[in-house]
Amino acid sequence: MIQYDQFQLIQKALASTAQEIEGQEGGQSAQLTAAIEDLALAQAYIERSEHAFLMKETYQHRLRS
């Protein structure tokens, strides 16, 4: 399973990629749109995975209590 600090690294990489794509010049709007959609899907996956990770940590904390 991906650790929380890895989520942060992935988010930074996605943000950097988005900035790089947005910085490219015209004629690539279809590619840009597809890339932004891919980044949005990746971000949603990260958020769901992060939520699952936090729920797991909460559950494990309850078991230890």
Side-chain angles (χ1 to χ4, degrees):
M1 178 166 199
I2 297 175
Q3 297 298 318
Y4 183 74
D5 58 337
Q6 291 173 317
F7 288 126
Q8 292 174 327
L9 291 174
I10 293 169
Q11 286 175 321
K12 288 179 184 178
L14 290 172
S16 175
T17 301
Q19 287 176 349
E20 182 179 322
I21 291 169
E22 289 172 356
Q24 293 177 356
E25 296 189 38
Q28 301 175 350
S29 62
Q31 290 177 341
L32 178 59
T33 299
I36 290 172
E37 289 172 358
D38 288 346
L39 289 170
L41 289 173
Q43 182 67 33
Y45 172 78
I46 288 169
E47 289 171 2
R48 285 192 309 272
S49 297
E50 183 178 23
H51 176 73
F53 173 80
L54 293 174
M55 293 299 291
K56 177 184 169 195
E57 289 295 309
T58 300
Y59 177 73
Q60 289 179 348
H61 178 73
R62 287 182 184 167
L63 290 177
R64 285 181 251 148
S65 297

